[in-house]
Amino acid sequence: LIAAAGDVGRKADDRLRNRAVMELLYASGLRVSELVTLPAAALRGDPQMVLVRGKGGRERMVPLSAPARAAVAQWLAARDAEEERARIASGRAPSRFLFPGSGLAGHLTRQQVHGLLKACAIASGLSPALVTPHGLRHAFATHLLAGGADLRVIQTLLGHADLSTTEIYTHVLDDHLKALVL
């Protein structure tokens, strides 16, 4: 799915953006609304962690994987060049968002990200009905838990206010382990 994101899009810049979107969604467990409102400044300079503003205005630090950082760096270079061309051509001020959009909000919309995921699913041979942004968030948490991460750490990374929300992932892992044994 992540590899397919780099092949989806008409222009090279679109493909770089799509790869960065996909890497960030999976590698950080971000909600779509958190992803599309990320400021570009938060990801400049190859940070190991990014500050995310989540539900209720709560902030949390989320680590970035090396592949996510590389994809974002490539996207930022292309994005900045395009923003500069637009500034020269029309005098338009650069967007503050990592993923600018032409709508009123000034960033990609949640619906555009959903559409992107569906296109990536098709390109990778997966059923688009099975691929959602929340599914990537779920995979992030489940893979961390399967790798031995503490439930409280996962709660913090996901920005869950209550541990009971995070405990859902233990049931998924329990079901998987049962299926392996039976």
Side-chain angles (χ1 to χ4, degrees):
L1 191 62
I2 291 172
D7 297 329
V8 172
R10 287 178 286 192
K11 300 183 301 186
D13 288 359
D14 293 340
R15 294 186 292 273
L16 288 173
R17 180 202 60 212
N18 297 346
R19 179 72 183 247
V21 164
M22 194 66 69
E23 286 283 2
L24 282 172
L25 278 176
Y26 173 70
S28 64
L30 293 175
R31 295 176 180 96
V32 177
S33 58
E34 296 167 344
L35 173 83
V36 297
T37 58
L38 277 175
L43 287 115
R44 296 203 183 279
D46 193 32
Q48 302 274 327
M49 305 275 284
V50 65
L51 180 65
V52 175
R53 185 176 306 272
K55 282 186 174 179
R58 289 188 302 270
E59 293 180 335
R60 68 185 189 280
M61 293 296 290
V62 177
L64 298 174
S65 67
R69 289 193 328 268
V72 166
Q74 289 178 329
W75 163 240
L76 273 173
R79 174 205 173 280
D80 290 349
E82 181 57 35
E83 291 281 310
E84 181 62 15
R85 283 191 290 275
R87 186 191 65 75
I88 291 169
S90 67
R92 186 180 79 206
S95 172
R96 68 181 193 89
F97 297 106
L98 178 62
F99 300 112
S102 58
L104 286 176
H107 54 70
L108 279 182
T109 65
R110 293 172 55 240
Q111 294 79 6
Q112 287 171 311
V113 173
H114 280 266
L116 166 61
L117 286 180
K118 301 303 179 191
C120 291
I122 291 167
S124 65
L126 296 171
S127 167
L130 299 176
V131 179
T132 65
H134 194 76
L136 291 176
R137 183 171 158 82
H138 202 321
F140 166 79
T142 303
H143 291 159
L144 283 175
L145 191 59
D150 180 76
L151 202 55
R152 289 274 183 197
V153 170
I154 296 170
Q155 174 189 7
T156 301
L157 292 175
L158 292 175
H160 288 161
D162 194 297
L163 186 61
S164 64
T165 308
T166 313
E167 287 176 337
I168 293 166
Y169 301 106
T170 62
H171 301 300
V172 172
L173 190 57
D174 289 345
D175 291 344
H176 178 68
L177 291 174
K178 287 176 191 172
L180 288 174
V181 173
L182 298 177

